[in-house]
Amino acid sequence: MAGAQLIGGGWDRPRIGHFIGGQWCDAVSGRWYQNRSPWSGATLGEVAAGDGEDADRAVAAAHEAFGGWARALPGQRQQVFLRAAAVLERRGAQVLGALAAETGCGRHFGEIQLDFAVKLLRQAAHLAYQPAGELLPSDVAGTQAMAVRRPVGVVAAIAPWNASLTLSGRAVVGPLALGNTVVLKPSEESPYTGGALWAEILQEAGLPAGALNVVTHAPGEAGAVADALLAAPLVKRINFTGSTPTGRRLAEKAGRHLKRVVLQLSGQNPLIVAGDADLGYAVDAATFGAFVHQGQVCMCARRVYVERPLAAEFAERFAARVAALPTGDPADPATVVGPVINEWALALLDRRVKEAVGLGARVLAGGVPAPPCYPATVLTGVPDEAEIAQGETFGPVVVLEEVESAEHAVARANASDFGLVASVITGDSRRGLRLAAALDVGIVHVNDQPVNDEPHMPFGGVKDSGWGRFGMGFAAEEFCELQWVTVRDQDRAFPF
């Protein structure tokens, strides 16, 4: 059984099996499901439909490989990630084609993902040489004390489809670089670009068999695999990127097993335009920040707040700019807004926009589905009771709101249950920093839009947007155990 083969940037309708213990294999059940293109609806290939038994096999393989990988010399681990970066760069055009075919990802966001993933691997190469602990002062004479970070063992990684290359990459590369082994469960919507592709790249780079394992599953069957990973005693950590409702259920189950979880969940991300902002720049930033990858990025701006002096002109220019965004085939380099991931997502967008309009909202741009795409859409006058104003609507729809002041916008933003990322655009950067300090979110970008990430940054949210942080500079805090070790250079006197 082999992973997917890409020919000329396209697919040859392969079968994608599990990757367990360094081997491609079928699901124990022998079942398969069809992987379909969100743009054309064509079948890209068949994918192994795994279950809990497959997950258990993968956990066993990861546990068996852990000792050898954890003891590997730092130079050996470094070379694996450097070679992997070179492999990914060499295959860049194929990867972009796969992202377009499997997830509807256009060239703009595809190149962002590819660049991030290459940087992620190169930064992981240096993680092997980071200090593993520190000396601690002790009041006990003759005692030397140390705090030592050790890899935990098997890490379960559950990744989404929307930025399949980068989000699966960060889910596995940090833990691996620290000496852990990993079982990856990609989304059923991205079994190749979010799963098998990483197995191919790291296997070619020389990662030992069993260090990374990939288990796929059919639509609607994620629970069996996830439950097996949660219940397995050998799985010591779990990381999950996805929706808040799913993350909450996962955290509840993990709590019963006393397993630590890193959660990066939904966002209702505000972009605040102050009255002293450069109007043209603010329009450009909001357009990109709301509609990159057709709004299917957790960091996308969902609400744009504009101070009153700029509000009318901003709305006019923003709506005109958004209405002109090219929509269609993600393989066309000119396309900005490609297809949404599936028919369910399209129907949800349509229903929520229609509900908002029924409650009094106005459509400034878009608002009419063009299957399999939903056009870039701007709504204004959206009441707070509308669904689109409350939860995360994953697609190319943004809510525009005029506010008395940027401080009022901060209060409106903080009233949300979510707290992933925000951005502030202002002509006064010091004011921007003051506003950033008042925003109850995990990430703030001043004079930029919210869709930003770098492999070494502390990425994560607060409130219902999750807990813990991804990022090469912070991975050791999440995926290592801290052990206190003492050693004495002389015998100690005891009172009895």
Side-chain angles (χ1 to χ4, degrees):
M1 176 60 58
Q5 299 300 312
L6 291 169
I7 299 175
W11 293 70
D12 68 347
R13 303 171 69 87
R15 277 191 163 192
I16 299 173
H18 300 321
F19 187 71
I20 298 176
Q23 301 293 322
W24 297 98
C25 57
D26 297 354
V28 172
S29 67
R31 295 187 303 120
W32 301 83
Y33 76 94
Q34 292 187 329
N35 185 20
R36 297 186 181 276
S37 163
W39 168 248
S40 67
T43 298
L44 300 172
E46 291 187 316
V47 183
D51 56 24
E53 192 171 353
D54 299 286
D56 290 339
R57 292 165 56 210
V59 170
H63 177 67
E64 184 177 353
F66 171 62
W69 178 241
R71 291 190 299 271
L73 296 175
Q76 293 172 314
R77 292 211 297 265
Q78 181 185 64
Q79 286 305 310
V80 168
F81 295 112
L82 291 176
R83 288 193 295 263
V87 172
L88 183 56
E89 276 194 314
R90 187 184 74 241
R91 296 180 58 178
Q94 293 178 322
V95 171
L96 292 175
L99 287 167
E102 189 172 63
T103 67
C105 178
R107 178 163 292 272
H108 298 99
F109 193 58
E111 290 178 345
I112 289 171
Q113 290 200 66
L114 185 61
D115 178 68
F116 179 96
V118 171
K119 288 179 179 176
L120 175 74
L121 289 164
R122 288 183 176 148
Q123 290 191 23
H126 297 289
L127 201 58
Y129 285 100
Q130 292 297 306
E134 58 183 322
L135 293 176
L136 304 174
S138 172
D139 280 329
V140 180
T143 293
Q144 185 179 65
M146 297 166 278
V148 181
R149 293 194 181 276
R150 301 168 26 158
V152 297
V154 179
V155 173
I158 303 175
W161 56 265
N162 60 305
S164 53
L165 182 70
T166 60
L167 297 184
S168 291
R170 77 175 188 185
V172 305
V173 170
L176 284 171
L178 291 163
N180 300 290
T181 54
V182 177
V183 177
L184 169 63
K185 188 205 81 62
S187 167
E188 66 271 25
E189 304 283 3
S190 55
Y192 181 67
T193 55
L197 174 62
W198 279 106
E200 290 176 354
I201 289 168
L202 288 165
Q203 183 183 44
E204 183 175 344
L207 186 70
L212 173 64
N213 306 271
V214 180
V215 176
T216 54
H217 60 83
E221 299 181 7
V225 176
D227 286 349
L229 294 174
L230 285 162
L234 295 175
V235 172
K236 304 302 183 183
R237 292 285 194 280
I238 298 166
N239 69 68
F240 170 79
T241 300
S243 73
T244 294
T246 302
R248 181 174 283 113
R249 290 193 298 270
L250 190 151
E252 289 171 353
K253 292 181 178 181
R256 290 199 290 271
H257 297 284
L258 293 179
K259 289 190 180 176
R260 283 177 52 184
V261 186
V262 179
L263 298 173
Q264 193 258 288
L265 308 176
S266 306
Q268 251 275 8
N269 311 311
L271 187 156
I272 298 171
V273 180
D276 60 357
D278 179 278
L279 184 62
Y281 177 73
V283 169
D284 288 346
T287 302
F288 179 88
F291 300 112
V292 63
H293 193 33
Q294 44 273 15
Q296 297 177 131
V297 182
C298 61
M299 296 170 279
C300 277
R302 307 295 177 195
R303 302 183 70 102
V304 177
Y305 298 100
V306 187
E307 279 193 306
R308 180 153 293 160
L310 285 185
E313 189 176 358
F314 179 93
E316 180 180 357
R317 291 175 61 172
F318 184 49
R321 178 74 181 280
V322 170
L325 293 176
T327 302
D329 186 349
D332 183 346
T335 295
V336 172
V337 180
V340 295
I341 190 63
N342 54 37
E343 293 177 357
W344 179 88
L346 186 68
L348 179 65
L349 286 164
D350 189 37
R351 180 177 66 78
R352 287 187 172 176
V353 169
K354 286 178 177 175
E355 184 217 29
V357 171
L359 291 170
R362 291 188 297 119
V363 178
L364 300 185
V368 179
C373 301
Y374 197 91
T377 297
V378 181
L379 301 177
T380 190
V382 176
D384 288 344
E385 63 266 27
E387 282 187 45
I388 209 161
Q390 297 174 11
E392 179 181 53
T393 298
F394 221 57
V397 180
V398 69
V399 174
L400 179 61
E401 183 176 332
E402 178 181 317
V403 290
E404 292 289 339
S405 66
E407 288 73 18
H408 180 217
V410 169
R412 292 278 292 155
N414 285 347
S416 170
D417 292 334
F418 300 104
L420 181 57
V421 59
S423 63
V424 179
I425 299 178
T426 173
D428 181 350
S429 59
R430 288 184 177 273
R431 183 190 185 199
L433 288 172
R434 290 194 297 273
L435 293 168
L439 282 159
D440 195 7
V441 295
I443 306 163
V444 186
H445 301 294
V446 177
N447 287 332
D448 201 348
Q449 48 73 46
V451 184
N452 285 283
D453 197 8
E454 296 183 63
H456 57 293
M457 296 298 179
F459 191 97
V462 299
K463 301 193 288 188
D464 284 1
S465 292
W467 65 59
R469 293 295 181 268
F470 287 96
M472 285 294 110
F474 303 85
E477 297 176 18
E478 308 291 354
F479 303 113
C480 286
E481 295 286 9
L482 191 62
Q483 184 181 51
W484 175 33
V485 179
T486 67
V487 60
R488 292 188 54 77
D489 57 15
Q490 62 189 55
D491 292 343
R492 183 175 179 177
F494 300 103
F496 60 88

